[in-house]
Amino acid sequence: MSTIVHPLVRYGYAPLMLLGVNGAGIALAASGVDKAWLLALLVAAIALSFAAERLLPYRSVWNSSHGDVGRDTAHTFVNETLILTSVAVVPALAALVAGDGIWPTDWPFVVQVLIAILVADFGITLTHYASHKIGLLWRFHAVHHSVTRFYGLNGLMKHPLHQTLEMAAGVTPLLLAGIPVPVAAALSLAVAVQLLLQHSNADYRVGPLKYILALNEGHRFHHLKWAGIGDVNFGLFTLVWDHLLRTYSYDPARRFTSDDLGMAAKPDYPVGYLAQLAEPFTRHGACTTTSGEHAENRSDAASIGQAPPSRV
C-alpha cells in the first residue's frame, strides 16, 4: 500500500492544496456563494493536512502532541477568526477610502487573486523581516518561534497582535486599491492553505519550485533556533523577496529534529496559550529582543559546532 500512497502524497499533496483547494476556493468566491462554503473548504484543507502528515511524515514524532495541541488549536481559532473578520469588514474599510480605487475589476478573477497574493506577500514578508530586526516586534513574533515541532497547525501559532500587524501590512495596500470582497475572501483561504503547507510535517516535494515557493522544505531553516542562522526565508507565499533581500538559504542535505527548533536564548519560553499572550508584556518578555537573542544564539550555535545552511 505504501508503494502507492507515499508517491501520491510526496508529489501530489502540494499540487492538491495549491491548485485544488485554492482553485476550488477561487471558483466558489467568484460565483458569489455564501462564505460558509469557503470555511468548509478550509476545514477540508486542515483534514487533508493531518492525513498527509500521517501517511508520509517528515518526522513521525512530530505527529504526536508535545503538550501543544490545545494551545495551537486556540491560536488557530483566534487567528483564523481574525483573518475571516478582516474579510467581513472589507466593505466598511473600503468606504473610508476616497474614490473607487484602481483595482482591475474587469480582469479575470483568478488574475485578481494572484495580484492580491503577490501584494500581500510583499507586505507580510517585509513585516516578518522587520520582526526579526526590531526588538518591540520580536517580543510578539517570538511566540511563533517557540515551536519545537513542525506540523500544519503551528502555521497560525502566533500572537494575535502580531498576526493583526502582518495582515494589516499585507491587506492595507489592497484596501487602498479597492479590492473586492470576493477576492479578499479567496485570499484569506490562500493564506490559511499556505500556512498549512509551510509548516507541514508531510514529507512532500515540489522539485525546483522549492527555490521560488515558500513551503516547508525552506521554511524549516527559518525556524532554526540559532538567530543569525534562522534569519532566512521570511516569505509567506514566495521566496522572491528573500532572493532580493539576500536572506534566502537552503541546504538539501540538512535534516531537522526538535533539538534544532525553538529559541536557544530562551528555552523556557511559556508553552500555555494565555501565558504566551501575556509574555510580550512582561518585564522578562520585554528583555527578549533580537539583539540579545542574536548574540546568545550565535554563541550557542558555535559551541555545539552548528553551521549556517549554505546560501545560494
Side-chain angles (χ1 to χ4, degrees):
M1 180 61 120
S2 62
T3 57
I4 299 175
V5 172
H6 286 183
L8 284 176
V9 175
R10 178 163 282 127
Y11 302 108
Y13 170 59
L16 176 61
M17 295 284 275
L18 290 172
L19 302 177
V21 175
N22 281 331
I26 289 172
L28 288 171
S31 67
V33 300
D34 191 289
K35 301 300 184 294
W37 284 103
L38 290 176
L39 185 58
L41 195 56
L42 173 59
V43 172
I46 293 173
L48 283 172
S49 174
F50 276 98
E53 289 174 337
R54 277 146 186 79
L55 290 170
L56 187 65
Y58 176 81
R59 288 284 181 193
S60 296
V61 68
W62 286 353
N63 282 338
S64 300
S65 174
H66 287 33
D68 52 10
V69 172
R71 178 202 68 196
D72 293 350
T73 300
H75 276 297
T76 298
F77 176 79
V78 170
N79 290 324
E80 188 57 38
T81 298
L82 287 174
I83 293 174
L84 295 175
T85 300
S86 69
V87 174
V89 300
V90 163
L93 294 175
L96 300 176
V97 179
D100 297 327
I102 58 172
W103 192 263
T105 53
D106 56 338
W107 290 15
F109 190 85
V110 65
V111 175
Q112 295 182 51
V113 174
L114 289 175
I115 292 172
I117 286 173
L118 291 175
V119 172
D121 187 49
F122 176 71
I124 292 171
T125 299
L126 290 188
T127 303
H128 191 181
Y129 176 82
S131 297
H132 281 247
K133 307 301 178 183
I134 301 173
L136 178 60
L137 297 180
W138 172 253
R139 295 184 204 174
F140 294 91
H141 184 51
V143 170
H144 183 64
H145 279 269
S146 67
V147 300
T148 56
R149 65 171 174 140
F150 243 54
Y151 79 116
L153 276 194
N154 62 24
L156 277 168
M157 208 283 281
K158 302 179 181 183
H159 196 287
L161 292 181
H162 193 268
Q163 167 74 9
T164 300
L165 178 64
E166 280 191 336
M167 291 306 298
V171 172
T172 298
L174 299 173
L175 288 171
L176 294 175
I179 184 174
V181 174
V183 177
L187 172 63
S188 69
L189 176 67
V191 168
V193 168
Q194 186 66 19
L195 289 171
L196 287 170
L197 281 169
Q198 192 175 63
H199 296 82
S200 177
N201 185 34
D203 196 16
Y204 64 81
R205 299 284 189 277
V206 293
L209 288 176
K210 65 176 173 286
Y211 300 112
I212 301 297
L213 301 181
L215 298 172
N216 64 356
E217 281 189 83
H219 196 65
R220 293 187 191 110
F221 291 95
H222 178 74
H223 278 266
L224 280 167
K225 65 184 178 184
W226 302 284
I229 297 177
D231 286 351
V232 297
N233 302 350
F234 293 97
L236 173 60
F237 285 102
T238 76
L239 295 166
V240 171
W241 310 114
D242 284 289
H243 285 291
L244 294 175
L245 290 168
R246 300 186 66 81
T247 56
Y248 173 76
S249 187
Y250 181 71
D251 179 358
R254 181 66 186 255
R255 296 289 294 181
F256 295 80
T257 69
S258 289
D259 290 337
D260 299 312
L261 309 180
M263 291 182 289
K266 199 167 186 182
D268 58 344
Y269 197 87
V271 296
Y273 179 70
L274 294 179
Q276 289 190 341
L277 295 190
E279 179 67 10
F281 300 100
T282 65
R283 186 175 66 85
H284 190 207
C287 293
T288 309
T289 63
T290 51
S291 57
E293 174 103 3
H294 285 196
E296 185 172 346
N297 284 355
R298 287 193 184 102
S299 175
D300 289 348
S303 69
I304 60 174
Q306 291 289 344
S310 60
R311 295 175 186 259
V312 292

